[in-house]
Amino acid sequence: MQNQKYHFCQSYFQYCRNKTAPVKVGNVTIGGDSPIRVQSMTTTNTLDTAATVEQSLKIARAGGELVRITTQGRREALNLKSIKESLTRLGCEVPLVADVHFNPSAADIAAQLIEKVRINPGNFTGGAKKFRHIEAGSEEDREGLEQIRQKLIPFLRQCKKHFTAIRIGVNHGSLSDRIMSKYGDTPEGMVESCMEYLRICREENFNDVVLSIKSSNTRVMVHTVRLLVHRMGEENMSYPIHLGVTEAGSGEDGRLKSAVGIGALLIDGIGDTLRVSLTEPPENEIPVAKSLVHYISKKANHPPVAETNPQHYSPCSYVKRQTHQVETIGGENVVAVAADIRNVPPELLQFHTLPEVIICHSNQINHLPENLHNTRLVVEHQSNKFGHKPGTIPLFKIDEEWHHFDGPVFVELTYPDLNSHNANRLRSKKDTVLLLKSNNINSTAEQRAFFMTMQNLGLSHPVIIHGYYEDKNLKDFQLKAAADKGLLFLDGYGDGLCLSTPNITTSQAIQTSFGILQASRVRFTKTEFISCPGCGRTLFDLQKTAEKIQKKTSHLKGLKIAIMGCIVNGIGEMADADYGYVGAGPGRISLFRNRELIKKSIPEEQAVNELIKLIKSYGDWVDPIE
């Protein structure tokens, strides 16, 4: 059973990769029956052959199957030949991808020398954005489309002649003035920007095309890729998809954001190749990408999930499931974080940050912090032999007599438990919070089906999404939890998140929950950094600068700060950012507030302090707590 309005995957309830056409990129095939390919991008100056070759080797040795290289102009495009020849002499046959912006002639040269060229519809023909309004259907609009044809068709013919593949890569931050005038900065505009190019490719019978639509906002990225796949289906297209969250940042935050956005699409079978964009050395991206692909691929052949009618599902726009409030959960409350410590050994019980809910056995209460004024204590009913202590809430299993209890209750259940008998019990007891668990290896599909069924039954009880992980490695746990649960919050489901693990400290599980909610755009509890990975266009030390800015501003809860290497996507990708720090030239930085240029071409050594002054001048600064 499928919602035909937005048909973007084969099933909402069974993991199955979308069928796409195979595209050859040198000795690698993307799409078709091929495995999901992982790749990265060099951060070196493309004219520095030795440095670019060295970094390409590091990427390939880490398991990268394609290497992308920034190609600003004709000189950089011509030097791709030397880079390719050097790699071949060293026995490295990894396909190279030229990353071209603003310069169709550089794309034409690259198409003759290496295996693939990435072009951006937002700046391939129109140059830098001028932020002009262009009336839909006007002569200027028609001329803009004709200009695309005049520059794209010769490029495609060059690619066909040299068996060169292309990637049409749309970025949220670099839509053309034509598209912005018609659609605004929207998923519909991003998709149409891509489709204009695809239709010309089909007219030219050029099929070696890979597509990407990226954003630093995971919600925008996921909804837009789904819409693109749907639109392609309407026009009988099946090009392979490249996945990525742009400007994801570094460290834990960058990995969580990437796992949420990329994982949400992989779980629905979308994605033939991917890049995890981190503000770190590019070879660091590969293990994260490979781990994500490996984890999602294990969901194949999972136990069946009973299908339900997805009539209320909104996959291409955010619509939050409406719930009623019980205690401090649901309704208009922020999405809560819960800690289930029932399986946690005493030595791992740490509470550097308190969650809204702690779930425990009665004999664990004495191990908890004393200051729990804002935390609801939920005690497992079976373990409470001496009655419930004042201020605690009982937790029942679904088959117990919870519906006769006087007062609010928590009830743990799975999707198969949502039968007519239990639905009637829920109707009779409104002050019930559900703790939704899953034993299915595709817990995401099963829990999504639960929410769809709740909506179909007209049940508005708040639900805390539960996940149990036995990983001993913190990064593995975080990657899996973010991939599994992020999709549900992106789709408007869930009033809380509870991650249970017997091998990770409670404090780390709580912090991971907060991180996933922030990456999923439903709750902001710390500074949001939109930080690009850097490339050959970056003219300052992006990694060190990002670390410096994060160290000085990470206490500014809810503020969004963009740290961008250059202006190619910088201004546009700051759509969500309150403040922007953008490379303007060698040793020069420009500062933005809400996309507006405030200070231009500041010396790099002064720029971080000037950024702080700017934040203070608009009243967004608070001093850190010592």
Side-chain angles (χ1 to χ4, degrees):
M1 192 180 297
Q2 193 67 271
N3 184 342
Q4 294 303 313
K5 184 178 180 182
Y6 291 115
H7 185 84
F8 63 89
C9 63
Q10 296 190 45
S11 172
Y12 296 146
F13 312 106
Q14 184 73 30
Y15 173 76
C16 183
R17 280 186 64 192
N18 273 10
K19 299 294 184 184
T20 57
V23 171
K24 288 282 289 182
V25 183
N27 57 5
V28 170
T29 301
I30 298 174
D33 296 323
S34 299
I36 297 169
R37 307 296 188 179
V38 299
Q39 55 182 283
S40 184
M41 183 175 181
T42 59
T43 60
T44 53
N45 184 335
T46 306
L47 297 176
D48 187 339
T49 303
T52 305
V53 168
E54 181 182 1
Q55 203 167 71
S56 299
L57 287 171
K58 288 180 179 178
I59 294 169
R61 288 165 182 163
E65 296 167 281
L66 297 97
V67 173
R68 185 155 47 112
I69 301 172
T70 188
T71 309
Q72 302 99 303
R74 295 173 61 88
R75 289 175 63 213
E76 288 83 2
L78 288 167
N79 200 50
L80 293 173
K81 183 174 186 290
S82 297
I83 294 168
K84 183 68 183 176
E85 289 174 347
S86 296
L87 286 168
T88 301
R89 281 197 301 270
L90 293 168
C92 179
E93 297 293 340
V94 62
L96 300 184
V97 184
D99 191 66
V100 178
H101 294 269
F102 304 116
N103 199 328
S105 65
D108 289 340
I109 294 169
Q112 302 173 51
L113 300 173
I114 58 173
E115 294 89 344
K116 187 180 176 186
V117 180
R118 180 270 175 109
I119 59 172
N120 184 339
N123 55 39
F124 182 68
T125 59
K129 290 166 64 66
K130 301 178 180 64
F131 299 98
R132 292 182 300 105
H133 179 77
I134 298 174
E135 194 69 33
S138 66
E139 183 177 350
E140 189 176 8
D141 182 20
R142 291 190 295 273
E143 287 176 354
L145 188 57
E146 181 58 29
Q147 186 180 32
I148 292 173
R149 297 181 61 84
Q150 289 175 2
K151 294 187 177 180
L152 181 60
I153 289 174
F155 168 66
L156 294 179
R157 290 174 179 171
Q158 191 74 264
C159 290
K160 185 180 289 188
K161 178 180 177 181
H162 292 91
F163 305 100
T164 305
I166 70 169
R167 169 151 69 97
I168 299 173
V170 178
N171 277 31
H172 187 203
S174 56
L175 298 180
S176 69
D177 289 339
R178 282 182 58 254
I179 292 295
M180 285 286 287
S181 297
K182 292 181 183 180
Y183 300 95
D185 200 5
T186 63
E188 289 76 11
M190 295 168 71
V191 169
E192 183 58 25
S193 180
C194 188
M195 295 301 294
E196 285 185 343
Y197 277 60
L198 279 181
R199 293 176 190 123
I200 297 171
C201 289
R202 187 160 63 177
E203 288 172 15
E204 289 295 306
N205 194 29
F206 183 84
N207 299 310
D208 293 327
V209 182
V210 180
L211 309 174
S212 71
I213 287 193
K214 296 187 179 184
S215 172
S216 61
N217 181 318
T218 53
R219 186 185 291 171
V220 170
M221 174 255 192
V222 169
H223 290 165
T224 307
V225 172
R226 289 172 175 172
L227 184 61
L228 171 64
V229 176
H230 169 72
R231 289 276 189 268
M232 282 202 296
E234 288 183 324
E235 299 191 28
N236 297 313
M237 299 177 180
S238 59
Y239 298 103
I241 302 288
H242 170 106
L243 301 180
V245 178
T246 59
E247 288 80 42
S250 60
E252 177 182 304
D253 292 344
R255 285 160 174 78
L256 288 176
K257 188 183 284 189
S258 294
V260 165
I262 297 171
L265 292 163
L266 289 177
I267 283 173
D268 278 331
I270 299 173
D272 303 281
T273 179
L274 63 92
R275 180 198 177 189
V276 173
S277 299
L278 301 175
T279 311
E280 298 180 24
E283 62 269 20
N284 288 8
E285 299 176 348
I286 301 301
V288 184
K290 290 174 75 70
S291 294
L292 193 54
V293 169
H294 177 69
Y295 178 62
I296 301 299
S297 66
K298 290 196 299 184
K299 297 182 186 295
N301 303 314
H302 61 82
V305 174
E307 295 194 11
T308 189
N309 192 334
Q311 59 186 323
H312 301 288
Y313 185 41
S314 177
C316 296
S317 61
Y318 181 74
V319 179
K320 191 177 189 312
R321 172 180 171 257
Q322 296 301 301
T323 60
H324 62 261
Q325 180 174 331
V326 179
E327 292 288 302
T328 57
I329 311 298
E332 299 302 316
N333 289 292
V334 297
V335 178
V337 168
D340 183 353
I341 66 171
R342 288 174 291 172
N343 295 304
V344 180
E347 64 271 17
L348 295 181
L349 285 177
Q350 300 175 3
F351 291 93
H352 300 318
T353 302
L354 286 175
E356 281 79 25
V357 176
I358 295 177
I359 301 169
C360 63
H361 298 301
S362 60
N363 60 6
Q364 293 178 302
I365 293 177
N366 292 334
H367 296 283
L368 299 177
E370 293 182 4
N371 180 21
L372 293 176
H373 301 305
N374 298 316
T375 300
R376 293 293 187 270
L377 197 58
V378 178
V379 182
E380 193 173 60
H381 176 67
Q382 288 183 333
S383 75
N384 223 342
K385 299 177 181 178
F386 305 106
H388 293 281
K389 291 186 177 183
T392 65
I393 303 172
L395 171 66
F396 292 89
K397 298 188 184 306
I398 187 67
D399 55 1
E400 295 177 327
E401 294 300 309
W402 49 271
H403 58 301
H404 295 311
F405 187 86
D406 186 18
V409 298
F410 277 55
V411 176
E412 58 183 340
L413 78 169
T414 63
Y415 173 46
D417 295 320
L418 193 57
N419 52 38
S420 58
H421 171 65
N422 288 326
N424 287 331
R425 294 207 288 173
L426 285 170
R427 290 190 181 96
S428 71
K429 187 165 178 60
K430 295 290 187 181
D431 54 348
T432 302
V433 177
L434 300 179
L435 185 66
L436 177 61
K437 305 177 84 172
S438 175
N439 300 315
N440 197 307
I441 59 172
N442 194 351
S443 63
T444 312
E446 185 172 270
Q447 290 177 323
R448 175 164 57 184
F450 173 91
F451 283 107
M452 290 178 175
T453 303
M454 287 284 286
Q455 290 175 304
N456 293 340
L457 294 171
L459 297 171
S460 60
H461 297 71
V463 178
I464 294 177
I465 298 169
H466 188 280
Y468 178 77
Y469 299 89
E470 294 185 340
D471 300 270
K472 295 182 179 179
N473 181 282
L474 177 61
K475 290 182 179 179
D476 290 342
F477 156 66
Q478 291 175 329
L479 199 73
K480 293 175 182 179
D484 285 339
K485 309 309 175 191
L487 178 150
L488 300 168
F489 290 104
L490 290 172
D491 282 344
Y493 296 137
D495 302 280
L497 176 60
C498 179
L499 299 178
S500 174
T501 169
N503 298 310
I504 304 293
T505 69
T506 303
S507 184
Q508 289 170 325
I510 291 169
Q511 285 302 118
T512 299
S513 295
F514 280 115
I516 291 172
L517 295 181
Q518 179 146 327
S520 305
R521 317 295 294 181
V522 294
R523 183 176 180 180
F524 292 89
T525 52
K526 52 188 175 181
T527 315
E528 174 87 354
F529 293 104
I530 302 167
S531 174
C532 79
C535 66
R537 296 184 296 268
T538 305
L539 298 174
F540 63 94
D541 192 325
L542 189 63
Q543 293 170 33
K544 288 184 178 178
T545 302
E547 289 173 7
K548 186 176 180 180
I549 292 174
Q550 289 173 18
K551 186 176 180 179
K552 290 180 177 290
T553 63
S554 60
H555 65 287
L556 300 175
K557 177 181 174 180
L559 204 67
K560 301 182 183 72
I561 299 176
I563 308 162
M564 313 298 292
C566 71
I567 63 167
V568 168
N569 297 314
I571 299 173
E573 288 295 354
M574 292 189 303
D576 271 352
D578 301 297
Y579 296 92
Y581 180 108
V582 182
R588 294 283 168 172
I589 305 297
S590 292
L591 300 180
F592 292 76
R593 181 176 183 267
N594 297 332
R595 273 190 175 183
E596 180 185 355
L597 177 62
I598 304 296
K599 295 189 176 184
K600 185 177 181 181
S601 199
I602 303 166
E604 182 184 348
E605 59 271 16
Q606 302 173 17
V608 174
N609 288 335
E610 289 296 321
L611 172 65
I612 293 170
K613 288 181 184 178
L614 181 64
I615 295 171
K616 289 179 177 179
S617 71
Y618 283 94
D620 291 324
W621 180 269
V622 294
D623 290 328
I625 298 173
E626 296 297 334

